[in-house]
């Protein structure tokens, strides 16, 4: 394994870092102010976002994900990892570079399993950053960490499919630019366990699609993106909206969630780096009991442990990315599962230490730490809870001795 960064990656790292310093960090508060100045936090996307996207596009910092595709920037997962990490340092960063969840995972699905028409209609505007998308798999009424439990129905009726079901945690559904959902449901309740499910493209303006409410995360609404509870009632879409074919939903989910998961981990490493940086700056200036906080052994231990844990997580992420590039997403599933457990836990520990070092300021919204912690905590659940990933790792480990 060779993890040193190529000159192309180093150049992009520098460009991205400079862009973050010049345009992203100074505009985090502007974004929030513009959002709050609107009639409703859900009515529009703050204008600063579109301005920043244009700047990023002009600098070639656009669609850096999507390996092995003519639609992407021609980077491998391994090359993308250190870049995604930089974007993940800010909550508004990934969208500026058109590398935000859940669009990247959805675009990978459309690129891999979509027909030419799907690509023309949905992938191209997503790649251009003109529209956004959501992914509707999780349901309130069943334990959705086991995707075979999904109960939404996708039934064929002539040239159409009819969709009925209730979903929640469809991230991004609140965004006024969110035009398309990838919905997972069952086309055949009697088929083999992993062949009952299908995925289908549902334009959000189709009659019968209703966003019932937006769900908050520890009180944060994450507007205008948000997390929607959506009912699909007798929603009719053309039969050609099915992805790959009936019964392929589970297989697509396995493929989709691989890249989506590792992207979250890359961003979490960036968030942890930023938290550590904030911690280190704060403790050198803050004097308690006659000396800087940084001279306290316990705080030095927090700093050292944070650096150790970030490096460990980064190396495992790079290994997972390397495996995805060399043996494919399916073969890399253990590494992806491992990093999906490691990265959120690591980020939470580092951010928590930074919060502690900031004292009361750490839990306020004057600094980004509290919201970083809340978002990172969701990633011990979203895209599969830790326990499910651990169960998979253990299963594969035990298999070696059977
Ligand atoms: C902020 C956020 C964003 C999300 N975005 C999306 C999205 O865009 N699209 C989407 O479809 N979903 C999304 N989700 C949903 C997320 O993927 C699910 O919450 C997750 O898969 C768990 O499903 P569940 O909530 O039904 O929990 P359940 O399946 O009810 O599981 C509850 C708990 O049971 C435990 N458990 C489950 N299985 C095992 C096991 N095998 N061994 C031991 N313990 C186990 C785990 O601790 C788990 O947390 C999001 C969730 C959050 C919080």
């Amino acid at each position: 394994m060779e993890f040193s960064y190529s000159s192309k990656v180093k150049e992009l790292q520098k460009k991205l870092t400079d862009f973050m310093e010049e345009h992203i960090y100074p505009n985090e508060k502007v974004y929030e102010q513009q959002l709050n100045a609107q009639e409703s936090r859900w009515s529009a996307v703050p204008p600063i976002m579109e301005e920043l996207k244009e700047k990023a596009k002009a600098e070639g910092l656009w669609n850096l994900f999507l390996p092995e595709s003519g639609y992407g920037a021609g980077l491998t997962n391994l090359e993308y990892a250190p870049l995604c990490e930089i974007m993940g340092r800010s909550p508004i960063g990934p969208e500026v570079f058109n590398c935000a969840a859940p669009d990247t995972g959805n675009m990978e699905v459309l690129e891999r399993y979509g027909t030419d028409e799907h690509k023309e209609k949905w992938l191209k505007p997503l790649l251009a950053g003109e529209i956004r998308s959501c992914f509707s798999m999780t349901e309130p009424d069943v334990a959705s960490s086991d995707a075979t439990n999904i109960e939404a129905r996708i039934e064929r009726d002539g040239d159409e499919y009819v969709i009925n079901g209730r979903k929640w945690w469809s991230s991004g559904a609140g965004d006024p630019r969110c035009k398309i959902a990838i919905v997972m449901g069952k086309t055949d309740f009697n088929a083999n366990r992993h062949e009952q499910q299908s995925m289908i493209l549902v334009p959000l303006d189709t009659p019968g699609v209703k966003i019932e409410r937006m769900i908050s995360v520890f009180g944060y609404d994450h507007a205008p993106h948000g997390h929607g509870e959506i009912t699909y009632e007798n929603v009719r879409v053309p039969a050609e909206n099915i992805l790959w074919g009936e019964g392929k939903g589970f297989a697509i989910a396995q493929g989709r969630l691989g890249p989506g998961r590792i992207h979250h981990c890359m961003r979490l490493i960036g968030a942890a780096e930023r938290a550590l940086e904030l911690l280190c700056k704060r403790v050198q200036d803050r004097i308690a009991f006659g000396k800087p906080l940084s001279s306290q052994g316990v705080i030095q231990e927090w700093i050292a442990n944070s650096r150790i844990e970030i490096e460990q997580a980064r190396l495992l992420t790079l290994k997972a990315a390397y495996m995805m590039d060399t043996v494919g997403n399916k073969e890399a599933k253990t590494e992806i599962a491992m990093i999906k457990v490691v990265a959120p836990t690591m980020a939470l520990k580092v951010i928590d230490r930074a919060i502690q070092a900031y004292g009361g300021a750490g839990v306020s919204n004057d600094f980004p730490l509290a919201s970083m912690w809340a978002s990172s905590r969701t990633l011990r659940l979203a895209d599969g809870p830790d326990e499910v990933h651990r169960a998979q790792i253990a299963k594969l480990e035990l298999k070696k001795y059977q």
Side-chain angles (χ1 to χ4, degrees), residues 159-364:
D159 292 343
E160 294 178 325
Y161 278 102
V162 185
I163 299 136
N164 278 290
R166 178 179 283 264
K167 301 284 181 179
W168 71 347
W169 294 112
S170 295
S171 298
D175 192 311
R177 300 160 304 171
C178 184
K179 299 293 176 207
I180 186 79
I182 298 181
V183 179
M184 185 160 164
K186 284 189 180 167
T187 33
D188 182 355
F189 282 74
N190 299 311
N192 290 338
R193 230 175 127 227
H194 296 116
E195 288 169 7
Q196 300 179 357
Q197 305 78 10
S198 302
M199 284 198 196
I200 194 154
L201 293 167
V202 179
L204 282 190
D205 59 3
T206 314
V209 178
K210 186 170 176 217
I211 299 180
E212 302 287 348
R213 64 172 178 140
M214 302 306 296
I215 313 166
S216 65
V217 168
F218 295 111
Y220 292 97
D221 62 7
H222 291 170
H225 179 77
H227 313 279
E229 178 162 347
I230 309 180
T231 46
Y232 295 87
E233 202 181 331
N234 294 322
V235 176
R236 287 182 171 268
V237 295
E240 51 270 22
N241 281 22
I242 200 104
L243 284 165
W244 193 7
E246 285 190 19
K248 299 289 189 195
F250 198 86
I252 300 176
Q254 298 306 95
R256 180 201 182 278
L257 295 175
R261 279 175 185 148
I262 195 169
H263 295 165
H264 279 311
C265 299
M266 296 166 181
R267 294 186 202 104
L268 283 162
I269 293 166
E273 279 287 5
R274 187 166 180 200
L276 179 58
E277 185 182 306
L278 287 167
L279 186 165
C280 290
K281 287 183 177 160
R282 176 85 169 189
V283 295
Q284 295 189 65
D285 294 343
R286 200 90 174 154
I287 311 292
F289 300 98
K291 51 188 179 182
L293 289 172
S294 57
S295 65
Q296 300 287 352
V298 65
I299 287 182
Q300 290 174 10
E301 190 177 306
W302 296 346
I303 293 169
N305 285 344
S306 298
R307 172 53 58 214
I308 292 165
E309 290 157 19
I310 292 173
E311 293 299 325
Q312 286 174 330
R314 180 180 287 123
L315 282 172
L316 191 53
T317 306
L318 293 176
K319 183 184 174 199
Y322 169 85
M323 299 277 290
M324 289 166 80
D325 291 333
T326 50
V327 293
N329 298 356
K330 207 169 162 201
E331 288 298 309
K333 62 178 182 287
T334 316
E335 280 70 21
I336 297 172
M338 287 195 285
I339 194 58
K340 181 61 182 49
V341 174
V342 166
T345 308
M346 174 283 293
L348 284 168
K349 275 203 250 171
V350 175
I351 298 165
D352 186 70
R353 290 177 190 129
I355 288 175
Q356 195 67 14
Y358 267 67
V363 293
S364 75

Side-chain angles (χ1 to χ4, degrees), residues 79-120:
E79 288 174 323
Y80 178 56
L83 307 174
C84 184
E85 179 186 321
I86 297 169
M87 301 174 200
R89 292 171 60 97
S90 168
I92 63 167
E95 188 187 339
V96 170
F97 307 104
N98 213 37
C99 291
D103 299 309
T104 57
N106 291 343
M107 287 190 260
E108 297 226 9
V109 167
L110 287 165
E111 204 276 332
R112 275 191 195 192
Y113 308 105
T115 61
D116 287 346
E117 289 85 82
H118 296 155
K119 288 180 188 167
E120 198 56 40

